[in-house]
Amino acid sequence: MDSIKKLKSITDKIDCPEEKYYKLAKKKLDNLTKPIGSLGRLEELAVQIVGITANSRPSLDKKYIFTMAADHGVVDEGISAYPREVTLQMVYNFLNGGAGINVLSRHAGAKVIVVDMGVAAELKENPLLLSKKIGYGTKNMAKGPAMTRQEAAQSIIAGINIVEQYVKKGADIIGTGDMGIGNTTSSSAIVSVAAGVDVCMVTGYGTGLDDKGLKNKIEVIRKAIKINEPDPDDGLDMLSKIGGFEIGGIAGLIIGAAFMKIPVVIDGFISGAGALIAQKICPISKEYMIASHQSVEKGHKIMLKVLGLKPLFNLDMRLGEGTGAALGISLAEASIKILNEMATFAEAGVSEKSS
Amino acid sequence: MDSIKKLKSITDKIDCPEEKYYKLAKKKLDNLTKPIGSLGRLEELAVQIVGITANSRPSLDKKYIFTMAADHGVVDEGISAYPREVTLQMVYNFLNGGAGINVLSRHAGAKVIVVDMGVAAELKENPLLLSKKIGYGTKNMAKGPAMTRQEAAQSIIAGINIVEQYVKKGADIIGTGDMGIGNTTSSSAIVSVAAGVDVCMVTGYGTGLDDKGLKNKIEVIRKAIKINEPDPDDGLDMLSKIGGFEIGGIAGLIIGAAFMKIPVVIDGFISGAGALIAQKICPISKEYMIASHQSVEKGHKIMLKVLGLKPLFNLDMRLGEGTGAALGISLAEASIKILNEMATFAEAGVSEKSS
């Protein structure tokens, strides 16, 4: 089947969580030995997850972070502080367990799966590596569309298929992550178009540009938007013209989570760009999203505002890879343990509020 | 020896962490495979912990939360939404593993030790319970001092002794927690005096007062301050006149952590009152403190400002017990795993920044 039609046939089947489960979770939390609502956002998280999973006693034992990797043709314009080959080098670092995402995922008890969405090199086979390669890096968006509309749909379907595959393996919750030299450039372009704000409002230093580099990056993004004229109301159009294969894959993970009714924890700026695409294509997917952190990267605040998501924490992080999602998954699991493991007033023989 | 002199002999021996360890940690972090500083506050935490422990490769394997429990005479004034006996009931809930702090400590891999600092009842012996009882609840501070100056010093020394005892058992990091019906009243009084702001600026609903109850609580605190005239420059004076046995115990845990050179993660509003007392008595202790979260409780923002601490996260929590500290300990451990487990650029064969 044509990828665009296939994607539509999936999103047409996605529905909102049922209100009754939210109420059920709230009632359960209000009987636990604590002042009502005193665990704040942990309680909100638990309510959301009960709603998503339609299960009053969900388990978040099996946790996966998918780090979606791809290269970007726009790197030719000198928009990154790091050379292109770092994408590939970091993929091997992930597979060897030495990157930030490996450390934080181990800490959270989550498995890292690296997905080749479009790295500009052949990768050696590895049990921790999934190949969903759409191409050897995108084309240079400063000169034309980054990819075709079919490729954009394929990248999203790849993400959806991953979630289907891992839910069959027992995945209870997933987190999104990214690796791709040049991908803050693409993400800034997407949020600029989606939010309708000028590029300079949403473009930051990425992995570490200097001021001159930042000026060039802004000009390159403006050029890419001018040449391509992406339609802010058409997620596939934005993704194909100014996106990236890993950003499409992330959008797919999110739509896939909504399709399979599991929570998805969104990492920072790049994952947020994927979330913008997902939400444009399938607005209901928002109900399944958990925003982990507020990134330092300029533009993330506006991005979260457009998404309508409030991040769980702000630790001044800007590494990507899924590092924020790993910490967010740990909080999600904590919230569910609260729901499942705390004693009620009656069970513990604790007096309730007197007034 | 007289408790006040004994306390002074301990605080006189406390020294700042050595600057060279901070530099060492920073250098190590900057060689890891990530843009410099991109893990934000996790990196700052790792630097602080290396400094505190004087160890370039610290381990935070053994983690303890001490939940300090005591009763408050001021409950006679009707300042709490819950009856006094809830302190005792919640102690048994802690010992049975059913409270919020039990769940979140298990999640963080920390052990909960409950300390009877002054519950107004005899407690049954339990391997998870330490008895450091200073008295059967404080006296009503609205009518005179909550405790004597000697008792205040004793409560702090009790906390210090606990840290000494548990560091001998291998404790790498500790978190503070509290249980005591009426203790937001005492904590609001302390921050009002320490910050020099009116009571109404720092007094909130506690476990769930209504507006009438809040008005009464504010009046009771004003009365307690007026009658006792606590000296804002004298930590023992504040603690004895308007404090609580568990607040003294918490101050002791913090001073003890500084004495034994281990990091101490501070919970929310009540623990913050203990931190104010600790800092007043031993200003250097601040270097050993990690503020976990920004609580919903009114007055906590001003408290953190006076302490000069920036909390790690804000999840709209207000439960106490050490629940924020448990999540904070998990972040501290994550930061040390980053330091110890991430690959360097050289090890991973990743190219460094080009510009």
Side-chain angles (χ1 to χ4, degrees):
Chain A
M1 202 203 287
D2 165 275
S3 294
I4 298 167
K5 282 186 188 157
K6 191 172 169 192
L7 176 57
K8 191 169 180 312
S9 80
I10 294 168
T11 56
D12 280 350
K13 289 186 200 125
I14 293 174
D15 206 349
C16 279
E18 286 179 72
E19 198 64 35
K20 68 174 179 185
Y21 287 101
Y22 294 139
K23 284 185 189 156
L24 207 85
K26 178 93 178 56
K27 198 177 160 192
K28 197 170 164 190
L29 286 163
D30 287 350
N31 277 317
L32 303 177
T33 43
K34 57 172 183 49
I36 286 178
S38 60
L39 282 174
R41 298 202 63 202
L42 288 185
E43 298 193 32
E44 290 172 21
L45 258 182
V47 168
Q48 186 187 0
I49 293 166
V50 166
I52 288 172
T53 57
N55 182 344
S56 66
R57 204 184 160 82
S59 148
L60 297 185
D61 274 357
K62 287 201 114 179
K63 303 171 282 280
Y64 289 93
I65 305 272
F66 296 101
T67 302
M68 315 298 268
D71 276 302
H72 290 258
V74 72
V75 166
D76 290 348
E77 306 291 329
I79 45 70
S80 176
Y82 283 83
R84 184 196 311 252
E85 56 267 26
V86 167
T87 304
L88 177 68
Q89 292 164 351
M90 283 301 295
V91 164
Y92 287 121
N93 196 18
F94 299 147
L95 296 173
N96 291 328
I101 186 57
N102 301 106
V103 176
L104 295 182
S105 294
R106 283 196 295 268
H107 183 65
K111 268 197 185 163
V112 180
I113 304 294
V114 186
V115 184
D116 176 10
M117 289 299 304
V119 178
E122 289 298 342
L123 290 166
K124 291 172 224 154
E125 280 194 28
N126 187 300
L128 299 175
L129 178 71
L130 283 181
S131 178
K132 298 279 178 182
K133 205 188 264 294
I134 311 293
Y136 290 78
T138 51
K139 294 203 173 68
N140 182 350
M141 70 177 187
K143 296 190 170 160
M147 65 186 91
T148 67
R149 194 171 171 91
Q150 281 292 338
E151 284 172 332
Q154 280 165 26
S155 70
I156 295 175
I157 289 170
I160 296 171
N161 289 342
I162 290 170
V163 183
E164 289 180 296
Q165 180 187 345
Y166 277 82
V167 167
K168 279 180 196 146
K169 287 190 185 186
D172 295 310
I173 185 169
I174 62 167
T176 68
D178 73 284
M179 180 68 224
I181 295 300
N183 66 11
T184 61
T185 298
S186 177
S187 300
S188 290
I190 289 170
V191 66
S192 167
V193 171
V197 301
D198 190 81
V199 174
C200 69
M201 302 276 290
V202 290
T203 305
Y205 294 97
T207 48
L209 287 174
D210 58 14
D211 288 322
K212 200 179 143 199
L214 177 60
K215 208 177 154 193
N216 172 57
K217 182 175 171 182
I218 291 170
E219 286 313 314
V220 168
I221 298 172
R222 282 184 179 144
K223 196 172 155 193
I225 294 174
K226 197 174 170 193
I227 285 178
N228 287 296
E229 297 187 323
D231 177 356
D233 293 321
D234 181 344
L236 274 183
D237 194 61
M238 281 195 284
L239 177 60
S240 62
K241 288 174 173 169
I242 53 174
F245 295 134
E246 82 280 44
I247 293 173
I250 289 166
L253 291 175
I254 294 166
I255 293 173
F259 185 57
M260 299 303 290
K261 295 196 172 296
I262 61 165
V264 52
V265 181
I266 318 282
D267 193 36
F269 192 59
I270 316 303
S271 286
L276 281 176
I277 301 294
Q279 204 178 26
K280 196 56 79 176
I281 292 171
C282 174
I284 296 172
S285 65
K286 189 201 157 187
E287 305 295 317
Y288 297 83
M289 297 181 195
I290 296 165
S292 58
H293 76 124
Q294 171 74 64
S295 159
V296 171
E297 182 66 17
K298 192 171 175 174
H300 195 219
K301 216 166 210 169
I302 290 177
M303 193 180 257
L304 287 166
K305 204 177 160 190
V306 175
L307 286 165
L309 296 176
K310 191 179 164 192
L312 289 168
F313 59 92
N314 180 350
L315 290 170
D316 296 339
M317 288 163 59
R318 54 180 176 85
L319 177 55
E321 302 178 0
T323 47
L327 297 176
I329 278 185
S330 181
L331 290 175
E333 191 178 13
S335 81
I336 289 306
K337 288 178 178 170
I338 288 290
L339 184 83
N340 291 341
E341 299 176 19
M342 266 185 79
T344 63
F345 281 98
E347 283 165 358
V350 174
S351 309
E352 300 207 40
K353 225 175 112 173
S354 47
S355 55
Chain B
M1 200 203 287
D2 165 275
S3 294
I4 298 166
K5 283 186 188 156
K6 190 171 169 194
L7 177 58
K8 192 169 180 310
S9 78
I10 294 168
T11 55
D12 281 349
K13 289 186 199 126
I14 293 175
D15 206 349
C16 280
E18 287 178 70
E19 199 64 35
K20 67 174 178 185
Y21 287 101
Y22 294 139
K23 284 185 190 157
L24 206 87
K26 179 93 177 58
K27 198 175 161 193
K28 197 171 162 191
L29 286 163
D30 287 351
N31 276 317
L32 303 176
T33 44
K34 56 174 182 50
I36 286 178
S38 60
L39 283 173
R41 297 201 63 201
L42 289 185
E43 298 194 32
E44 291 172 20
L45 258 182
V47 168
Q48 185 187 1
I49 293 166
V50 166
I52 288 171
T53 57
N55 182 344
S56 66
R57 204 183 160 81
S59 148
L60 297 185
D61 274 357
K62 287 201 114 178
K63 304 172 280 281
Y64 289 92
I65 305 271
F66 296 102
T67 302
M68 316 297 269
D71 275 303
H72 290 258
V74 71
V75 166
D76 289 348
E77 306 291 330
I79 44 70
S80 177
Y82 283 83
R84 183 196 312 252
E85 55 267 28
V86 167
T87 304
L88 177 67
Q89 293 165 348
M90 283 301 295
V91 164
Y92 288 121
N93 196 18
F94 300 147
L95 296 173
N96 291 327
I101 186 56
N102 301 106
V103 176
L104 295 182
S105 294
R106 285 195 295 268
H107 182 65
K111 268 198 185 160
V112 180
I113 304 294
V114 186
V115 184
D116 176 8
M117 288 299 305
V119 179
E122 289 298 343
L123 290 166
K124 291 171 226 158
E125 279 194 30
N126 187 301
L128 299 175
L129 178 71
L130 283 181
S131 178
K132 299 279 178 183
K133 206 188 262 294
I134 311 292
Y136 289 78
T138 50
K139 295 203 172 67
N140 183 350
M141 70 177 188
K143 296 191 172 162
M147 65 185 92
T148 67
R149 194 173 173 90
Q150 281 292 338
E151 285 172 330
Q154 280 164 26
S155 70
I156 295 175
I157 289 170
I160 296 171
N161 289 341
I162 290 170
V163 183
E164 290 181 296
Q165 180 187 344
Y166 276 82
V167 167
K168 279 180 196 144
K169 287 189 184 187
D172 295 310
I173 184 168
I174 62 167
T176 68
D178 73 284
M179 180 68 225
I181 296 299
N183 66 10
T184 61
T185 298
S186 177
S187 301
S188 290
I190 289 170
V191 65
S192 167
V193 171
V197 300
D198 189 81
V199 174
C200 69
M201 301 277 289
V202 289
T203 304
Y205 294 96
T207 48
L209 287 174
D210 59 14
D211 288 323
K212 200 180 141 199
L214 176 60
K215 208 178 155 191
N216 172 57
K217 181 175 171 182
I218 290 170
E219 287 313 315
V220 168
I221 297 172
R222 282 183 179 144
K223 196 173 156 193
I225 293 173
K226 196 174 171 193
I227 285 178
N228 287 296
E229 297 187 323
D231 177 355
D233 293 322
D234 181 344
L236 274 182
D237 194 61
M238 281 195 283
L239 177 60
S240 62
K241 289 174 173 171
I242 53 174
F245 296 135
E246 81 281 43
I247 293 173
I250 289 166
L253 292 175
I254 294 166
I255 293 173
F259 185 58
M260 300 303 289
K261 296 196 171 295
I262 61 165
V264 53
V265 181
I266 318 283
D267 193 35
F269 191 58
I270 315 305
S271 286
L276 282 176
I277 301 293
Q279 204 177 29
K280 196 57 81 177
I281 292 172
C282 174
I284 296 173
S285 66
K286 189 202 156 187
E287 306 295 317
Y288 298 82
M289 298 181 195
I290 296 165
S292 58
H293 76 123
Q294 169 75 65
S295 159
V296 172
E297 183 64 18
K298 192 172 175 173
H300 194 219
K301 215 166 209 170
I302 290 177
M303 192 180 258
L304 287 167
K305 205 176 159 190
V306 174
L307 286 165
L309 297 175
K310 192 179 164 191
L312 288 168
F313 59 92
N314 180 349
L315 290 170
D316 296 339
M317 288 162 59
R318 55 180 175 86
L319 177 55
E321 302 177 1
T323 46
L327 297 177
I329 278 185
S330 181
L331 289 176
E333 191 179 12
S335 81
I336 289 306
K337 288 179 178 171
I338 287 291
L339 185 82
N340 291 341
E341 298 177 20
M342 264 186 80
T344 63
F345 281 99
E347 283 165 359
V350 174
S351 310
E352 298 209 40
K353 224 175 114 174
S354 47
S355 56

